[in-house]
Amino acid sequence: MAKTATPEQNANNQQVFQLVASLLDAFDRPLVVTDRSGKILFTNFHAQDRLNEKGWSSKPDLNLFTDILHADRRQILTQLEGGEQELNLPVEGSRGKSRARIRWLPEPDWLVVYMEAVPTETPADAAEMRQTVQELMQEREITYRNLLAAYLRLQEANRQKTVFLASAAHELKTPLAVMKGYYDLLLTGSLGKLDDRQREILLESKESCDRLVRLVSMFLNYSALESGKLILQLRENDLRDCIRDITGRWSDAFSRAKVRLELKVHPELPVFKFDYQKVQQCVANFLDNALKHTPPEGCVTLLAQPHFWERRTSEAAPANDRRRGRGGRNNSILVSVSDTGSGIAAEFHQEIFEEFVRVDPSSSGMGLGLAITKRLIQAHRGKVWVDSVMGSGSTFSFLLPINVE
């Protein structure tokens, strides 16, 4: 015999139904709750309006599946009980197309149905959208072609600039070599004895000529780098000879500027393969840069010593900088030039190695020396960097691997 609900149970059930109904009214879209047979248990205000609009509210025993969705109840229940989280079914109405989003609540065995309007797209709107898309595609194609044409023009202008620099440098190279030769001849006294004033004037003129020679060499290297025609002459060389040669040429310039040049060259530097002239130019660029920014009575120190360069080959990078690694056999040579100038702010440490960049606009030069040095050292498979603190001078360094194939 079936048990009848007590008055207390009926009162509790009525309170639960009223609570659920009040919660459903808080939703801003039509919402219907039914049992598994499709019988409507609750509706909120928005759903009631939708039912009144269709004339369903006056129909006794209104069923979700047969009257609203016109769908097979067993098929829907099978999909929901089989694991589907939500089913979307179309619903026709006077306000246009809408869809019913059906979810199953297993515990009370209820179906919760959300009603949502589906925006319709008129043929005119679709045609207008297609036309807009076509216009955007055409504009993008035109923009792409204009950008490509501008890029090609810039490439051509850059190529002409490189050709001009190379041509001008070649034209200047021969007369400068002749002038430099005559200066050397005059300073030796072969063409007559010189007094102190004459020698001083000739030395200053020779220094200016040497600066022009370095500038021409810089242009030639830059054009070779830009055109991809740089070829390293890798031969067995002694770096000590390279450094002594270049510092000998700079000794007069440092003396006239009243800046002391100190050499700290390790006595056991190995002989290894490198391009003698290119490395010499890199050292000269460092010395030139240090001399420009070191005040009188200051000091510039040139250091060359064996070094262990720890190259990172594993995925986990070591905690210490590979430039300063220790504990292995020396596999590179460290060359650094330190000055006692004003220093370089940290935000410029990377930027100064780019072309035509000068931290101090009032200084002389074209901003190519450090950029060319970086690319020449990288061509040797080396590394270049700067360590500097404002007010404490700067140290420009590069590493040359001993074994370069």
Side-chain angles (χ1 to χ4, degrees), residues 27-43:
F27 284 88
D28 60 352
R29 54 185 171 178
L31 191 146
V32 177
V33 179
T34 72
D35 61 14
R36 66 183 298 111
S37 66
K39 180 181 178 181
I40 296 178
L41 302 177
F42 311 104
T43 59

Side-chain angles (χ1 to χ4, degrees), residues 329-360:
R329 186 171 59 88
N330 294 327
N331 58 3
S332 62
I333 301 297
L334 170 66
V335 178
S336 65
V337 175
S338 303
D339 61 60
T340 55
S342 58
I344 302 172
E347 59 266 26
F348 297 113
H349 286 186
Q350 297 296 326
E351 185 179 352
I352 57 177
F353 291 102
E354 302 299 327
E355 289 87 350
F356 306 107
V357 172
R358 291 186 299 171
V359 177
D360 184 5

Side-chain angles (χ1 to χ4, degrees), residues 306-335:
H307 186 84
F308 173 67
W309 184 6
E310 183 181 359
R311 296 179 180 271
R312 295 172 181 169
T313 56
S314 60
E315 292 184 1
N320 295 330
D321 192 340
R322 62 179 179 178
R323 300 173 308 195
R324 311 196 183 284
R326 292 294 185 267
R329 186 171 59 88
N330 294 327
N331 58 3
S332 62
I333 301 297
L334 170 66
V335 178

Side-chain angles (χ1 to χ4, degrees), residues 67-328:
D67 299 322
I68 299 177
L69 300 179
H70 304 289
D72 186 4
R73 178 181 67 86
R74 287 176 297 180
Q75 182 179 1
I76 293 176
L77 293 176
T78 300
Q79 294 183 31
L80 293 173
E81 292 173 352
E84 290 288 343
Q85 297 292 327
E86 183 178 278
L87 295 180
N88 292 331
L89 298 178
V91 178
E92 296 292 337
S94 59
R95 296 184 182 178
K97 294 182 179 179
S98 60
R99 63 180 177 182
R101 298 169 53 191
I102 307 174
R103 295 184 180 182
W104 177 45
L105 302 180
E107 186 63 28
D109 200 15
W110 288 349
L111 298 178
V112 179
V113 184
Y114 302 89
M115 299 291 186
E116 292 182 342
V118 177
T120 59
E121 187 179 83
T122 63
D125 293 339
E128 183 178 353
M129 181 176 295
R130 284 195 297 270
Q131 182 179 359
T132 302
V133 171
Q134 291 177 356
E135 291 176 354
L136 291 175
M137 293 292 289
Q138 291 175 357
E139 290 180 2
R140 189 185 71 170
E141 182 69 19
I142 293 173
T143 303
Y144 170 75
R145 291 180 180 180
N146 291 337
L147 288 175
L148 180 60
Y151 172 76
L152 294 176
R153 288 195 298 269
L154 287 175
Q155 289 291 92
E156 178 62 19
N158 186 65
R159 187 192 68 81
Q160 291 178 1
K161 175 206 67 178
T162 303
V163 171
F164 170 77
L165 284 177
S167 301
H170 279 293
E171 291 297 326
L172 290 172
K173 186 177 182 180
T174 301
L176 285 174
V178 174
M179 293 169 59
K180 187 175 182 300
Y182 281 132
Y183 283 128
D184 292 335
L185 184 62
L186 289 170
L187 288 170
T188 59
S190 301
L191 300 180
K193 188 177 180 180
L194 301 174
D195 57 30
D196 293 340
R197 179 59 178 166
Q198 290 172 334
R199 180 174 294 275
E200 182 180 355
I201 292 174
L202 284 175
L203 285 174
E204 291 180 359
S205 301
K206 181 178 179 294
E207 182 181 347
S208 298
C209 182
D210 290 340
R211 183 175 294 276
L212 282 175
V213 170
R214 290 195 300 271
L215 186 61
V216 167
S217 179
M218 192 181 302
F219 284 157
L220 290 173
N221 282 323
Y222 179 74
S223 61
L225 289 168
E226 285 292 295
S227 60
K229 297 179 180 179
L230 177 69
I231 299 176
L232 296 180
Q233 303 296 330
L234 298 177
R235 296 185 178 88
E236 297 285 345
N237 292 305
D238 191 338
L239 187 61
R240 290 173 298 181
D241 294 338
C242 178
I243 291 176
R244 280 195 295 264
D245 187 11
I246 193 64
T247 52
R249 301 179 194 175
W250 280 84
S251 59
D252 291 338
F254 275 85
S255 297
R256 283 191 297 275
K258 297 181 180 180
V259 175
R260 189 172 72 258
L261 176 60
E262 293 185 355
L263 295 182
K264 295 183 180 180
V265 180
H266 196 279
E268 298 181 0
L269 290 181
V271 175
F272 64 101
K273 286 185 178 181
F274 64 91
D275 190 312
Y276 191 93
Q277 292 184 346
K278 299 297 188 295
V279 171
Q280 200 172 71
Q281 181 179 356
C282 294
V283 176
N285 288 340
F286 278 0
L287 291 175
D288 186 23
N289 189 70
L291 184 58
K292 289 178 184 177
H293 299 92
T294 302
E297 309 304 329
C299 179
V300 172
T301 303
L302 174 56
L303 170 71
Q305 64 182 19
H307 186 84
F308 173 67
W309 184 6
E310 183 181 359
R311 296 179 180 271
R312 295 172 181 169
T313 56
S314 60
E315 292 184 1
N320 295 330
D321 192 340
R322 62 179 179 178
R323 300 173 308 195
R324 311 196 183 284
R326 292 294 185 267

